[in-house]
Amino acid sequence: MKVLIVGGGGREHAITWAVAKSKRVDKIYAAPGNAGIAELAECVDISVMDKENLVKFAKENDIDFVIVGPDDPLAAGVADAFLDAGIKTFGPRKNAAIIEASKAFSKDLMKKYDIPSAAYEVFDNAEEAMEYVKTCKIPVVLKADGLALGKGVLICMTREEALAGVEELMVDKKFGAAGNKIVIEEFMTGREVSVLCFSDGKTILPMTSAQDHKRAGDNDTGLNTGGMGTFSPSPFYTKEVDEFCKANVYQKTIDAMRAEGREFKGVLFCGLMLTADGPKVLEFNARFGDPETQVVLPRMKNDIIDVMEACADGTLDKINLLFEDNAAVCVMLASDGYPLEYKKGFVIKGLENFKGKDDYFAFHSGSKFNEEGQVVTNGGRVLGVTAIGKDLFEARANAYKATELIDFENKYMRHDIGKAIDEQ
Ligand code: AMP
Ligand code: GLY
């Protein structure tokens, strides 16, 4: 089988690694891929948003199966373009990817179908939003309706911050059209956990749980980032929480989407907060998480192609999804300065230490080859070092040990990934 993977981040590197293990796959292409993915796949220089050339490439190269990784192309209908050309594809159509692309849509869906989430109001008028935050309960959370690279959420601890936040999103349009509409949501507290679920539109199979670390600095300080590290499983995702979510969140959401004529096939990422009133949905994403994927897929026992094909074919009820009884930790190595200004183009040393290893990995997020053919840094997040262990403590120790094997100028990482496991 010939597979095309659309994307070029750490998530796509982990997906490519899992696809490369499949006995059913002879050849992998990635568009555009990166320097890490290039070890496992042939990288082709086509943008993830270039539907026309992606489909043309797939047809000319007899691609049997396409996997679309990131949110932007899914929201723009890249999966639809492949499906409409008769190519089997993993990833939701645009009309289902809206569950991530519009926060107002997902909040209205949860309200209509009684899926637990924070109380909210939607505004498409800045003055009305201002009036609302003048009297609402504080703290309060403002969310740009559209996609904003995971940065369109403002947690406002004071009324002044909330007023300034409305101005930033709706008047100054800090996130462009994503802020034409905003969701204003009740502030909740609790531990966060991510559960990525495979779905074929009818059946939904949750994967093992994971926890992300979104802030740039140790002890959850600094700006929000795309994710500085993850661990899996989350010890806080207990059997009780799992049962609650199976009864009240996962299947209900997939059934709700189908009832709305928006059959969801692909990965439904459920971002949950474990509040004193029980688990509540913070957000849905229509794709694998980054860097959740880097700790979840290395623990999966199934052939990923069997599972993804079952999602596309509507036969997921035949799959027995299994994970190893171990743990994984991913520590993101970033460029100092991320998520603001940073330099790139520095040579990454030590990658050879990861060749052929099956208990620790370097999943590239932002890397490329320079003119001399050396692998250099090419992004804020450079690579995620994932390690496996028999439990979270061992996995964490292994991951930090493995981070020492890599060096590049401006290397920055958090030193407290997985600290929460000390508090369980
Ligand atoms: P989202 O993209 O909607 O998941 O929001 C990004 C982050 O903002 C979440 O991971 C939470 O840490 C935080 N957050 C979002 N909504 C709320 C809320 N209602 N209460 C407290 N924190 C929130
Ligand atoms: N790690 C969070 C996300 O992928 O959205």
Side-chain angles (χ1 to χ4, degrees), residues 279-317:
K280 296 200 178 171
V281 177
L282 281 172
E283 63 164 346
F284 288 120
N285 294 320
R287 50 168 175 86
F288 277 103
D290 192 339
E292 285 86 348
T293 309
Q294 290 89 314
V295 286
V296 168
L297 289 185
R299 301 186 51 229
M300 192 169 92
K301 288 188 184 179
N302 305 66
D303 182 320
I304 194 170
I305 293 292
D306 290 347
V307 184
M308 288 183 158
E309 197 175 38
C311 290
D313 290 345
T315 55
L316 199 58
D317 57 333

Side-chain angles (χ1 to χ4, degrees), residues 103 141 143 153 155 185-186 188 192 214 282-283:
K103 294 218 187 255
V141 182
K143 300 185 173 185
V153 174
I155 311 281
E185 197 175 270
E186 165 204 6
M188 306 186 290
E192 289 183 44
K214 289 199 169 114
L282 281 172
E283 63 164 346

Side-chain angles (χ1 to χ4, degrees), residues 133-358:
V133 296
K134 277 183 192 159
T135 55
C136 75
K137 212 168 141 212
I138 297 289
V140 70
V141 182
L142 311 183
K143 300 185 173 185
D145 178 55
L147 294 176
L149 296 169
K151 293 173 191 140
V153 174
L154 307 178
I155 311 281
C156 305
M157 301 311 286
T158 65
R159 202 166 302 283
E160 290 66 41
E161 270 176 54
L163 289 165
V166 171
E167 179 101 14
E168 211 173 279
L169 294 175
M170 301 193 84
V171 182
D172 305 343
K173 296 265 190 280
K174 187 165 174 204
F175 299 103
N180 288 348
K181 208 191 256 184
I182 68 168
V183 170
I184 303 189
E185 197 175 270
E186 165 204 6
F187 174 77
M188 306 186 290
T189 52
R191 288 193 184 276
E192 289 183 44
V193 50
S194 307
V195 180
L196 283 54
C197 308
F198 285 109
S199 182
D200 65 357
K202 303 184 293 285
T203 300
I204 182 158
L205 298 181
M207 298 179 224
T208 182
S209 60
Q211 188 177 319
D212 192 7
H213 298 65
K214 289 199 169 114
R215 300 291 200 94
D218 283 0
N219 299 313
D220 290 330
T221 53
L223 294 170
N224 258 333
T225 70
M228 292 300 294
T230 36
F231 59 85
S232 170
S234 163
F236 309 103
Y237 188 77
T238 58
K239 201 159 178 285
E240 205 182 7
V241 173
D242 183 52
E243 276 164 12
F244 178 89
C245 293
K246 281 181 175 147
N248 296 287
V249 179
Y250 310 139
Q251 189 67 48
K252 256 179 154 174
T253 305
I254 287 301
D255 291 345
M257 289 295 279
R258 201 173 57 254
E260 295 290 313
R262 298 173 182 273
E263 189 174 61
F264 189 98
K265 293 179 168 205
V267 169
L268 181 72
F269 170 138
C270 303
L272 305 166
M273 187 172 265
L274 310 181
T275 75
D277 298 332
K280 296 200 178 171
V281 177
L282 281 172
E283 63 164 346
F284 288 120
N285 294 320
R287 50 168 175 86
F288 277 103
D290 192 339
E292 285 86 348
T293 309
Q294 290 89 314
V295 286
V296 168
L297 289 185
R299 301 186 51 229
M300 192 169 92
K301 288 188 184 179
N302 305 66
D303 182 320
I304 194 170
I305 293 292
D306 290 347
V307 184
M308 288 183 158
E309 197 175 38
C311 290
D313 290 345
T315 55
L316 199 58
D317 57 333
K318 306 278 186 311
I319 296 285
N320 184 17
L321 192 63
L322 294 170
F323 288 83
E324 303 284 353
D325 184 20
N326 59 8
V329 170
C330 173
V331 179
M332 191 56 72
L333 305 185
S335 302
D336 195 17
Y338 172 74
L340 300 173
E341 299 274 299
Y342 53 84
K343 293 197 180 118
K344 44 192 194 182
F346 298 117
V347 175
I348 306 174
K349 295 183 207 123
L351 290 169
E352 64 284 358
N353 296 312
F354 290 78
K355 282 227 163 75
K357 300 287 188 224
D358 60 5

